Amino acid sequence: MTIEDTVAVVWNNIVRSAEKSGRSADAITLVAVSKQKPVAAIEAAYRAGIRHFGENRAYELQEKAEALDLPDLKWHFVGHLQKRQSRPVADHAAMFHAVDRYKIAKRLSAQRQMNDLGTLPVLLEVNISGEETKGGYLCTEWDTNSEQKEQLCKDIERILELPAIEIRGLMTMAPWGASEPDVRSVFGRTRALMQWLASQYPQINWSELSMGMTDDYQIAIEEGATQVRVGRGIFGDRFYG
Ligand SMILES: *Cc1c(COP(=O)(O)O)cnc(C)c1O
């Protein structure tokens, strides 16, 4: 299958899952995760109608952003970000999906401000499954564990003070190889957490729920995802990661 074909398959699946759950497919953003894939593959996906691309390495993002000049193309940074590599993300990202600590938000805010780049929309990454390899704020028992809740809320309140960062929602990842009911439960609990946060922080526009990858984006849409991050399903297998 060509990239045009795989993009069409993924779009059809998105439309079907949206219909199944009584939602409009227009409310769902497909982020094509192009990490480790060449610029030519990104161009092919762009020709097939993709406008949102996801990367998880700062310098790979920089290289690709500088090589490509396509109207309306938006870069999403979907991985853990080290402080000293924040510059390319501040410079090029339209959205950062993985705020996992205050300091990275503070750094990005300062860099956006310094270069007059406007506000950067961000999502807070939450670890709902408790899997140790997963990043993000530990929220396995957010509804009963006051310590987990306090840590997340403390950072939200500090991030709210940053001039060039705007919180827009949450991002999560399902545990590896989990059964469909378990995946569904992780996504459902993430949506419930965002509803609770919206009641606590009504001044924030909690519009985005980034969840679902190649193996589970259809379940994620049924559970309320507004952004799905699909890599292999569009570009084929990667050699690592
Ligand atoms: C790699 C990656 C994806 C895409 O994964 P696929 O299984 O290739 O769809 C999505 N989100 C994040 C955070 C990733 O690192």
Side-chain angles (χ1 to χ4, degrees):
M1 282 208 287
T2 66
I3 287 178
E4 279 80 1
D5 296 333
T6 56
V7 166
V9 167
V10 172
W11 267 124
N12 281 333
N13 288 338
I14 289 174
V15 168
R16 237 184 333 170
S17 304
E19 276 172 2
K20 200 168 153 188
S21 49
R23 305 175 59 208
S24 163
D26 296 342
I28 293 148
T29 301
L30 170 56
V31 179
V33 179
S34 47
K35 63 189 185 193
Q36 299 170 39
K37 295 295 175 181
V39 159
I42 297 175
E43 288 169 327
Y46 183 91
R47 283 194 299 274
I50 299 282
R51 292 295 177 269
H52 297 262
F53 292 90
E55 292 288 337
N56 73 340
R57 298 263 185 273
Y59 293 108
E60 189 175 339
L61 165 66
Q62 180 169 350
E63 226 169 83
K64 288 173 175 173
E66 285 169 0
L68 286 160
D69 183 18
L70 299 168
D72 297 329
L73 188 158
K74 302 253 191 300
W75 294 106
H76 294 244
F77 197 82
V78 300
H80 175 77
L81 181 59
Q82 294 175 25
K83 236 172 88 190
R84 63 183 148 73
Q85 299 186 347
S86 62
R87 174 105 256 167
V89 175
D91 285 348
H92 299 291
M95 182 168 273
F96 175 47
H97 289 233
V99 171
D100 53 5
R101 61 206 192 281
Y102 169 69
K103 282 207 164 131
I104 195 69
K106 185 178 171 200
R107 171 94 164 192
L108 288 167
S109 180
Q111 289 174 330
R112 292 288 281 208
Q113 223 185 2
M114 204 178 335
N115 286 358
D116 254 335
L117 291 166
T119 298
L120 177 67
V122 303
L123 309 177
L124 307 168
E125 182 177 359
V126 292
N127 179 348
I128 297 283
S129 68
E131 216 179 7
E132 277 176 24
T133 54
K134 295 274 185 282
Y137 291 95
L138 194 63
C139 292
T140 45
E141 306 161 341
W142 63 266
D143 44 352
T144 51
N145 182 325
S146 56
E147 207 175 305
Q148 287 187 357
K149 243 185 336 208
E150 273 162 29
Q151 279 208 335
L152 179 62
C153 290
K154 190 183 83 194
D155 273 19
I156 289 174
E157 282 157 31
R158 293 203 288 172
I159 292 167
L160 273 171
E161 303 292 319
L162 295 171
I165 294 288
E166 184 193 7
I167 297 173
R168 292 293 298 278
L170 299 180
M171 183 273 244
T172 202
M173 286 167 91
W176 288 117
S179 67
E180 180 175 328
D182 287 349
V183 169
R184 206 175 273 286
S185 150
V186 164
F187 291 156
R189 277 152 62 206
T190 308
R191 186 190 51 203
L193 172 56
M194 194 157 88
Q195 280 164 351
W196 180 77
L197 288 169
S199 72
Q200 300 298 301
Y201 302 103
Q203 70 273 46
I204 295 174
N205 176 15
W206 297 95
S207 60
E208 304 301 326
L209 207 40
S210 167
M211 46 190 204
M213 315 192 342
T214 294
D215 294 331
D216 50 31
Y217 66 93
Q218 288 149 288
I219 303 171
I221 290 168
E222 289 173 29
E223 296 299 325
T226 66
Q227 304 203 21
V228 292
R229 310 177 308 268
V230 180
R232 289 168 299 127
I234 290 173
F235 297 109
D237 284 341
R238 293 176 298 269
F239 291 110
Y240 51 93

